[in-house]
Amino acid sequence: MTIARERVTEERRLERVTIRFAGDSGDGMQLTGSQFTRTAAVFGNDISTYPDFPAEIRAPAGSLPGVSGFQLSFSSTHIHTPGDEPDVLVAMNPAALKANLADLPVGGALVVNEDAFTASNLNKVGYAANPLADGSLSAYNVFRIPVSTLNARALEGLELTNKQVDLTKNFFALGLMFWLYERSMEPTIRWIDEKFSKRPVIAEGNKRALRAGYNFGETTEIFHERYIVPPARLAPGRYRNITGNEATALGFVAASQLADRPLFYSSYPITPASDILHQLAGYKNFGVKTFQAEDEIAAIGAAIGASYGGALGITGTSGPGVALKSEALGLAVMVELPLVLIDVQRGGPSTGLPTKTEQGDLLQVLFGRNSDSPLPVVAPATPAESFDMAIEAWRIALKYMTPVAFLSDAFLANGAEPWAIPDPASLGSIAVPNRTEKAGFFPYLRDPETLARPWAVPGTPGLEHRIGGLEKAEILGNVSYDPENHHRMTVLRDAKIAGIAKDIPPLDVYGADRGDLLILGWGSTFGAIRSAVERLRGRGLAVSHAHLRHLNPFPANTEEVVRAFRRVLIPELNLGHLSMLIRARYLVDAIGYNRVRGKPFRIVEIEAEAERLLAALREPVA
Amino acid sequence: MTDVTTALPVLTRKDFVSDQEVRWCPGCGDYSILAQTQKVMPDFGYPKESIVFISGIGCSGRLPYYMNTYGFHSIHGRAPAIATGLKAARPDLMVWVITGDGDALSIGGNHLIHSLRRNVDLRIIMFNNRIYGLTKGQASPTSEFGKVTKSSPYGTVDYPISPLAIALAAEASFIARSVDTHTEHLQSTLEQAGRHRGSAFVEVLQNCNIFNDGAHREFTDREVRDDRMLILEHGKPMLFGKDRNKGLRLHGHQPEIVTIGENGISEVDILVHDETDPLISFMLAHIYWPEFPVPVGVVRRISRATHDELITNQIDQAIASRGKGDLAKLLAAGETWTVTDDGT
């Protein structure tokens, strides 16, 4: 300990730090990243995370397709994104280095496990020479650490196989980062004890690895500085760290209580939506029923059946699953039963990029059915907002007797942020009554205000009636092929959904109500757009941001908002779904900024695109 | 009659007739199935508002409109899936699924199999006319090999599927077969299906007098049916024939037809039907005219916990062991931290 006492480690305060952990998909990088996230969140930082992993569970060790990454940003100020680029890249092997180095800015810190830089591993990813030795990393602040060797030494004497010992090395890296950023190991130690309570040797191994990494930082002179990122000034309240999928599942449980109806969640396993099923399956003491169906069609079919019986029927999936559910969604539109479809979007078409994010399903949920088949669409902007949007989806579904599509995506689903835990008593009721009165009952007699039909569930005496996919006679609900009736019913179904615009919040504008440029977005692009607009406005540019949470119908003031700007820029992770809708609906010359790389936008690219448009505005018209 | 029944007003067939005009072709076998279904409804002790008929697409799919109960005419092949969700959400209801050979075994094959293997408490009545009727005469999955139809002018090249064998493979807890024109037998079979707890699958051999007239005539016509059909009764020898003198016996593992009084055969040599014996069920699901008489009646009946019972039990146990869920606690689960007014 002599060395430690004598050395001088400087402490520097930083506003914000972004770390990326990268390694083999079997190296535990997701766990490492989420442990650091929890610790930073509990400490009081604002956080934002971006887990990025391959579809293969275990691609060949050391290969490029097997690289798994977890980027997290923690800050003493309010942040909206997990950061454009890491300040620190932790690369557990040459593949992780090769796959991620391009994102590390010049001067960035690079922590590598030099034990993994063997001839064989270098060869696997096409490094002709060892980058740690050939000077190619001179632009970075490189920390070469023999993680595997040091970790193995720390675990000596434990009854563990070499493979088991090697599996703990991610905790060594985590411990080192905890030291570097002055973080407590306690939350992680508690987690390890709980997780491995039945396997004490494994628990001990992981704890030793964690402490060894921390102590390595403490006792060596590799790092001359430690960094402090003070807690953020978040609004008062009790917080927890939450991912989009977690918030969605909790939102559905809350909706069930606020509607005073049991929850029935029906799903077929599909990335990246399955975690919602896993989570809800554990809530049986809330009366939640979950059903792993034989296929996507059965999953929505069972949800429709449950809703028909008076429950909150929900089906969760991703894009390919929505394609399979299309016909049944049309049935739900026709029989006008409440239902929520959650689509955690991923790259497509077809199987596409199962673990990567995209906003490619907006037009699918709007139009991917036969004939005019309108349904409301909502989309949360951040992971935590998924909670509110799950309740909002149900509020609309119940009040208007309609299926509702809820569009999440892989970035929202897996990304995390602090969430101010709401008091359930503060959440308003969304309950609607069942129809029980016999007098004046007709299955398709509509509420004059909402145009909703009555919900008469089986078991109600005197209201026996038949519904189905065939066109219904207005009011009576009998099968009808009458031409004028079909026209009227088609118009009514459309008017019912369009009328919801009166019942949703107006589109809010961040920045001035009018100006040169409006950046309009939806879904998970919120953070990157908001950060870009903050920077642009900080430089005095007349740029504003509006973000749609309701994609069908649009808020009533949407046209007014978009018309108040000289230019409208719509960044989307697709080839222009929202911009097509805005252009078609309002005849506004919206300009798309479209990238489909399976990754969220970076702040700088939206900033640059906005600057390009603003510069063009300043040029004299030829 | 259970206590529940006596407590309710006595219902008759008429109570289950809806005000909708029946629109099947005159002479269709579906009329008889509808009539027998309406007749047995008062027998189960359920008030009519607690009975739900769910159908898919095809001529059979129209049946719910004609029942004065709750009804849901859904989409092609998916009725078992919708019924599974309804029954899981509402165990108090009596749920019937009405389907056809194309609906159940072609487009909806997967849902049929899985609803049966889960032992969802449904009565699935499959009308088998061995043709697509509503789409005007294409081959169905039960059409005989080589059948000439509009979609197979040179004859089908598809081997037919056995509905009972599928139900057996999925381990339905009740499997039966009946015939549209044998009204008493059909009524009795529907009644037994209705009283079963768990997945009940009933194949009803039905005639389509427009697109596949005489689909089952060779063994169902009045003049020949005694000799060509085997009426199953649990615990009774498998005898058939006008004179009740023919029977099935096992020769090794192969069934064979024998005649009582010939070659020293007496009634004790005849195989006795056991609804719980999987090997007997398997044999019965696979014998058919013209090699054998066509078995009708209950092929298999066993008892095991139903899907909705198992779901409800898990919920009850979770509440018993962990207490009823508290939303405030759930939202605040895991690691939390508090930010106070001064921002710390």
Side-chain angles (χ1 to χ4, degrees):
Chain A
M1 299 310 284
T2 334
I3 302 167
R5 262 183 227 130
E6 285 174 6
R7 64 187 278 221
V8 179
T9 310
E10 287 185 24
E11 287 186 355
R12 274 181 60 194
R13 287 171 78 90
L14 296 175
E15 183 182 308
R16 174 180 185 166
V17 168
T18 299
I19 305 178
R20 186 184 297 177
F21 294 97
D24 247 348
S25 44
D27 276 346
M29 292 299 100
Q30 300 306 316
L31 175 61
T32 310
S34 49
Q35 283 301 320
F36 198 104
T37 304
R38 289 173 74 233
T39 304
V42 172
F43 179 75
N45 292 125
D46 197 2
I47 50 153
S48 178
T49 73
Y50 172 37
D52 186 24
F53 44 88
E56 291 76 16
I57 302 300
R58 297 277 190 280
S63 69
L64 283 171
V67 174
S68 171
F70 191 107
Q71 181 164 315
L72 71 117
S73 208
F74 57 109
S75 173
S76 59
T77 57
H78 193 41
I79 55 171
H80 308 297
T81 79
D84 276 4
E85 51 196 18
D87 301 302
V88 185
L89 172 64
V90 179
M92 299 299 281
N93 66 11
L97 178 67
K98 189 157 197 179
N100 290 283
L101 189 62
D103 293 336
L104 188 68
V106 168
L110 174 63
V111 178
V112 294
N113 173 17
E114 68 173 348
D115 289 333
F117 283 68
T118 60
S120 152
N121 279 349
L122 292 165
N123 200 31
K124 273 182 203 166
V125 294
Y127 273 126
N130 188 342
L132 300 182
D134 68 2
S136 61
L137 302 175
S138 58
Y140 309 101
N141 194 5
V142 183
F143 301 94
R144 302 169 50 160
I145 301 170
V147 173
S148 306
T149 313
L150 292 170
N151 191 52
R153 206 172 290 154
L155 270 65
E156 266 171 18
L158 288 179
E159 293 264 329
L160 292 170
T161 63
N162 287 344
K163 188 168 163 56
Q164 285 173 319
V165 168
D166 192 59
L167 282 173
T168 65
K169 67 179 183 296
N170 58 324
F171 277 104
F172 185 99
L174 179 62
L176 182 59
M177 288 301 114
F178 279 159
W179 175 82
L180 191 60
Y181 293 101
E182 297 203 9
R183 291 306 149 111
S184 163
M185 289 185 283
E186 281 313 308
T188 299
I189 287 171
R190 278 202 301 277
W191 181 89
I192 292 171
D193 282 335
E194 202 173 300
K195 176 85 180 169
F196 300 106
S197 62
K198 295 203 178 92
R199 296 153 79 197
V201 186
I202 303 278
E204 179 60 23
N206 282 316
K207 284 190 282 188
R208 276 203 204 174
L210 183 73
R211 291 195 181 106
Y214 193 95
N215 293 339
F216 177 78
E218 181 83 31
T219 54
T220 58
E221 290 190 37
I222 274 192
F223 297 97
H224 301 293
E225 291 179 325
R226 293 177 83 183
Y227 305 96
I228 299 175
V229 179
R233 288 184 160 270
L234 300 173
R238 193 169 175 205
Y239 284 81
R240 67 181 279 193
N241 171 34
I242 201 160
T243 67
N245 271 349
E246 288 166 351
T248 304
L250 292 179
F252 287 146
V253 177
S256 159
Q257 300 222 337
L258 299 173
D260 198 20
R261 288 176 188 269
L263 174 59
F264 182 86
Y265 186 84
S266 176
S267 188
Y268 184 76
I270 186 168
T271 303
S274 299
D275 282 340
I276 301 173
L277 172 64
H278 305 162
Q279 194 175 338
L280 288 172
Y283 295 157
K284 299 210 187 306
N285 60 328
F286 284 84
V288 171
K289 292 177 181 174
T290 53
F291 178 58
Q292 183 183 325
E294 60 269 23
D295 58 32
E296 295 282 358
I297 300 171
I300 186 169
I304 291 172
S307 286
Y308 176 56
L312 302 190
I314 308 176
T315 187
T317 188
S318 186
V322 176
L324 286 162
K325 293 177 197 293
S326 300
E327 189 196 14
L329 264 180
L331 176 68
V333 169
M334 195 64 151
V335 297
E336 302 189 40
L337 281 171
L339 180 89
V340 170
L341 164 85
I342 159 125
D343 174 3
V344 185
Q345 300 165 99
R346 65 190 219 188
S350 188
T351 314
L353 308 171
T355 60
K356 310 294 182 187
T357 201
E358 198 163 290
Q359 297 181 300
D361 295 345
L362 176 56
L363 294 183
Q364 178 177 225
V365 298
L366 279 170
F367 304 119
R369 289 172 296 286
N370 54 317
S371 296
D372 292 286
S373 174
L375 52 76
V377 180
V378 299
T382 73
E385 206 178 277
S386 302
F387 177 83
D388 308 288
M389 212 44 71
I391 297 170
E392 172 68 354
W394 268 111
R395 182 188 73 84
I396 295 172
L398 292 166
K399 186 169 175 184
Y400 295 90
M401 290 289 282
T402 177
V404 174
F406 175 114
L407 290 178
S408 178
D409 65 34
F411 178 42
L412 285 174
N414 297 317
E417 65 175 343
W419 177 48
I421 302 163
D423 174 5
S426 71
L427 304 168
S429 168
I430 57 170
V432 297
N434 285 338
R435 170 84 189 202
T436 52
E437 199 187 338
K438 199 173 165 183
F441 169 74
F442 294 100
Y444 278 76
L445 180 63
R446 295 173 189 280
D447 178 290
E449 170 113 9
T450 62
L451 299 182
R453 72 176 194 90
W455 199 1
V457 304
T460 313
L463 302 189
E464 296 83 8
H465 66 283
R466 274 64 56 190
I467 57 171
L470 287 169
E471 182 61 284
K472 298 289 171 281
E474 191 183 354
I475 301 170
L476 297 178
N478 294 330
V479 173
S480 169
Y481 305 132
D482 177 73
E484 291 307 318
N485 176 75
H486 178 53
H487 180 75
R488 274 201 309 280
M489 290 295 275
T490 303
V491 170
L492 272 169
R493 284 187 286 266
D494 194 58
K496 179 173 89 166
I497 304 307
I500 298 170
K502 299 192 293 277
D503 191 24
I504 56 178
L507 180 59
D508 187 46
V509 179
Y510 170 78
D513 287 346
R514 52 188 56 250
D516 290 337
L517 179 67
L518 175 74
I519 307 187
L520 180 66
W522 68 278
S524 69
T525 55
F526 174 86
I529 297 175
R530 177 54 55 93
S531 302
V533 171
E534 281 173 354
R535 290 182 190 175
L536 292 160
R537 292 187 64 77
R539 285 155 45 199
L541 298 168
V543 182
S544 299
H545 176 204
H547 213 74
L548 288 162
R549 269 84 171 175
H550 295 85
L551 281 307
N552 193 40
F554 289 133
N557 66 333
T558 305
E559 179 168 14
E560 193 188 323
V561 169
V562 297
R563 285 198 177 281
F565 291 85
R566 295 173 71 197
R567 289 284 182 273
V568 178
L569 171 65
I570 303 184
E572 288 180 273
L573 302 176
N574 59 43
L575 292 189
H577 292 208
L578 178 63
S579 33
M580 180 193 287
L581 295 168
I582 294 289
R583 293 171 68 94
R585 178 72 68 87
Y586 304 121
L587 294 175
V588 164
D589 188 16
I591 298 156
Y593 179 72
N594 306 95
R595 293 291 183 275
V596 280
R597 297 166 297 201
K599 301 203 288 191
F601 283 123
R602 296 196 304 158
I603 302 164
V604 290
E605 58 186 319
I606 292 176
E607 209 180 343
E609 183 64 10
E611 282 168 351
R612 195 182 67 76
L613 291 177
L614 291 168
L617 272 182
R618 286 191 292 269
E619 277 168 22
V621 180
Chain B
M1 288 285 165
T2 63
D3 294 311
V4 182
T5 320
T6 52
L8 290 163
V10 179
L11 299 174
T12 66
R13 180 194 164 187
K14 274 177 77 178
D15 291 303
F16 290 94
V17 178
S18 82
D19 60 356
Q20 300 296 298
E21 181 194 359
V22 183
R23 295 189 192 171
W24 287 312
C25 309
C28 176
D30 291 0
Y31 282 92
S32 164
I33 305 174
L34 173 64
Q36 306 323 313
T37 305
Q38 288 166 336
K39 265 184 215 161
V40 300
M41 276 307 117
D43 299 348
F44 306 119
Y46 281 86
K48 61 183 182 174
E49 67 268 17
S50 295
I51 300 173
V52 184
F53 278 79
I54 303 183
S55 62
I57 297 297
C59 296
S60 65
R62 303 300 177 97
L63 186 136
Y65 292 118
Y66 311 137
M67 297 296 300
N68 193 19
T69 62
Y70 281 87
F72 197 157
H73 178 207
S74 75
I75 45 178
H76 208 5
R78 319 303 172 199
I82 292 169
T84 297
L86 176 62
K87 187 68 192 179
R90 292 289 304 278
D92 57 307
L93 301 173
M94 181 191 219
V95 184
W96 295 72
V97 168
I98 304 297
T99 182
D101 41 321
D103 193 58
L105 298 171
S106 202
I107 193 166
N110 203 25
H111 311 307
L112 177 71
I113 290 169
H114 288 274
S115 60
L116 296 179
R117 66 113 169 162
R118 291 187 178 108
N119 202 30
V120 182
D121 186 26
L122 305 174
R123 294 102 200 83
I124 302 178
I125 314 302
M126 193 200 84
F127 301 8
N128 183 7
N129 57 15
R130 310 188 75 175
I131 198 80
Y132 280 88
L134 196 64
T135 50
K136 302 187 180 176
Q138 300 82 14
S140 94
T142 56
S143 291
E144 52 276 28
F145 179 78
K147 188 176 185 69
V148 173
T149 73
K150 280 185 186 160
S151 60
S152 56
Y154 296 89
T156 61
V157 293
D158 307 311
Y159 301 107
I161 206 166
S162 158
L164 297 193
I166 291 283
L168 198 57
E171 301 200 42
S173 54
F174 179 101
I175 301 173
R177 179 190 280 142
S178 192
V179 183
D180 55 358
T181 48
H182 298 208
T183 53
E184 276 176 36
H185 187 269
L186 176 57
Q187 197 180 327
S188 149
T189 306
L190 292 174
E191 165 132 20
Q192 292 179 76
R195 293 194 185 285
H196 181 70
R197 287 283 292 150
S199 56
F201 177 79
V202 180
E203 176 193 18
V204 183
L205 303 178
Q206 172 244 332
N207 192 41
C208 173
N209 57 324
I210 305 297
F211 294 106
N212 197 22
D213 197 20
H216 313 285
R217 175 184 295 157
E218 277 183 56
F219 53 89
T220 59
D221 270 0
R222 193 163 291 275
E223 311 80 66
V224 295
R225 70 189 197 190
D226 290 343
D227 286 323
R228 297 180 180 181
M229 287 172 52
L230 169 65
I231 296 174
L232 300 169
E233 286 180 87
H234 182 63
K236 301 270 177 68
M238 296 185 199
L239 289 167
F240 66 100
K242 270 200 183 70
D243 305 322
R244 300 280 292 166
N245 65 339
K246 289 186 210 160
L248 281 191
R249 81 166 181 184
L250 284 184
H251 180 72
H253 66 284
Q254 296 282 2
E256 63 176 4
I257 298 169
V258 292
T259 307
I260 290 174
E262 286 179 10
N263 303 319
I265 299 284
S266 70
E267 202 172 305
V268 294
D269 298 308
I270 305 301
L271 188 59
V272 172
H273 182 38
D274 180 349
E275 293 168 348
T276 65
D277 184 328
L279 292 179
I280 289 179
S281 303
F282 186 84
M283 186 270 287
L284 292 171
H286 286 85
I287 61 172
Y288 214 76
W289 179 259
E291 291 79 15
F292 288 96
V294 174
V296 294
V298 179
V299 169
R300 167 180 159 96
R301 176 160 32 196
I302 61 156
S303 177
R304 56 174 173 170
T306 66
H307 190 237
D308 65 271
E309 285 168 356
L310 295 166
I311 291 173
T312 307
N313 286 348
Q314 283 194 344
I315 288 177
D316 291 347
Q317 279 173 22
I319 292 172
S321 64
R322 286 150 61 189
K324 208 164 161 41
D326 178 336
L327 184 61
K329 277 190 195 151
L330 179 70
L331 299 186
E335 306 262 358
T336 66
W337 68 99
T338 302
V339 176
T340 54
D341 283 330
D342 56 12
T344 58

